[in-house]
Amino acid sequence: MAGDSLGVDVREQNGVLVVRLSGQLDWTTYMRAQDVLLDCATKELVGVVVELDDLVAESPALLVLFDVVWLSAARWPGISLSLVVSDHRLRSTLESRGLPRHIPLYSTTPEALASVVRLRHEDRVDAQLPSCRCLPHVAERITERACERWGVQSLLDVAPQVAVELVSHIEDDSPLALLLRMRGDKMSVAVRTTARFDLKQWHVMRHNIASIAVCNFTMGETPAGGGRHIIWALLDVPEDSQRPPSHLQEAAVFTHQV
């Protein structure tokens, strides 16, 4: 069966997912490797470290896998991806593709783990949304509470409406999940879904969000493995926004990490 020649071992070390890939990376195992790494990235721990010494690539072209995953992880959810390679030949192959310009490359796993940048403050909301007509209202209210809790008053008229726009455009028989994140001066509003947008839907949604947003924003889609996708909008938080300690009572749908 395709994928049998690729070994995958995933473990967590101090908030970082360490993934050891072993065996053969070829055109039959490429998508499995990509799905594994994207799934790890969207679990949103502190970062992802990939050990490669036991991996044999059938062709150097297959190493574009790491560019693809790095780009997705950097855009959303914004976590780091680094590679561990002590084998001189594989390192030379990676360097010839310019990967160190984008992805940190280390000789040992402890070195890679020590270099992971740990955000001083990270907030997140993960909420399963109801499958009913009240779905947009629920998404709006959850986002309002997040803005209040994080002290991002300047986005109170923006982020909730972006959430409404996202969930209103998605037609999915499976329950949707609303994902809200604060990382530094960026707030992201996202939905995890198995649905896909066509070009017309993307155009309409971008146009509608542009009419809502009074700040700089970007939008995109990140594969999450298992046929799932994250549809996200990343909003700039104005410099004059204050984030005082929250005095709101913790709601069941909120989680907080420092």
Side-chain angles (χ1 to χ4, degrees):
M1 184 175 74
D4 286 352
S5 59
L6 180 71
V8 178
D9 176 72
V10 181
R11 63 189 188 277
E12 181 184 338
Q13 291 187 222
N14 197 21
V16 178
L17 282 181
V18 180
V19 184
R20 182 171 62 85
L21 297 180
S22 59
Q24 187 81 7
L25 178 64
D26 54 31
W27 298 110
T28 63
T29 58
Y30 176 94
M31 289 306 300
R32 180 182 171 219
Q34 178 176 289
D35 278 354
V36 166
L37 294 179
L38 287 172
D39 184 61
C40 288
T42 54
K43 289 184 186 305
E44 299 181 81
L45 277 78
V46 178
V48 178
V49 171
V50 187
E51 299 172 330
L52 296 181
D53 276 343
D54 296 326
L55 186 71
V56 178
E58 182 180 78
S59 165
L62 290 163
L63 297 175
V64 72
L65 161 71
F66 302 108
D67 285 311
V68 170
V69 175
W70 172 83
L71 181 60
S72 292
R75 296 177 72 197
W76 198 98
I79 66 170
S80 67
L81 172 73
S82 56
L83 306 179
V84 175
V85 182
S86 60
D87 181 78
H88 175 71
R89 287 175 298 179
L90 180 55
R91 179 180 284 263
S92 296
T93 302
L94 290 168
E95 290 174 347
S96 69
R97 298 191 59 83
L99 282 174
R101 289 201 302 263
H102 309 293
I103 307 173
L105 193 61
Y106 300 97
S107 298
T108 68
T109 299
E111 183 183 2
L113 291 172
S115 70
V116 172
V117 176
R118 299 177 183 276
L119 300 177
R120 292 191 308 171
H121 193 91
E122 179 186 27
D123 295 276
R124 58 184 291 172
V125 172
D126 293 73
Q128 289 294 125
L129 298 175
S131 301
C132 64
R133 289 183 296 177
C134 67
L135 184 152
H137 174 73
V138 173
E140 179 182 27
R141 183 58 185 141
I142 290 172
T143 308
E144 285 176 351
R145 282 191 58 84
C147 289
E148 293 167 354
R149 176 171 173 251
W150 297 335
V152 192
Q153 301 298 321
S154 59
L155 293 183
L156 262 174
D157 294 329
V158 177
Q161 294 307 309
V162 170
V164 170
E165 191 67 28
L166 286 176
V167 301
S168 298
H169 275 83
I170 295 175
E171 297 181 5
D172 193 342
D173 293 333
S174 302
L176 300 180
L178 179 67
L179 312 176
L180 306 176
R181 304 289 183 265
M182 273 296 302
R183 294 178 183 271
D185 61 351
K186 306 283 187 183
M187 177 178 177
S188 67
V189 181
V191 177
R192 183 171 57 237
T193 177
T194 58
R196 301 298 302 274
F197 286 165
D198 58 30
L199 290 177
K200 181 179 180 180
Q201 288 173 306
W202 270 109
H203 176 75
V204 170
M205 190 169 61
R206 287 177 187 275
H207 178 269
N208 291 349
I209 289 180
S211 68
I212 296 169
V214 294
C215 58
N216 292 328
F217 75 95
T218 56
M219 293 185 64
E221 179 181 22
T222 296
R228 299 168 302 163
H229 301 268
I230 310 294
I231 309 297
W232 50 265
L234 193 64
L235 309 173
D236 283 0
V237 178
E239 292 182 1
D240 58 354
S241 288
Q242 301 296 316
R243 300 185 63 201
S246 172
H247 299 292
L248 293 175
Q249 183 176 358
E250 194 74 14
V253 295
F254 294 130
T255 60
H256 176 72
Q257 295 183 349
V258 177

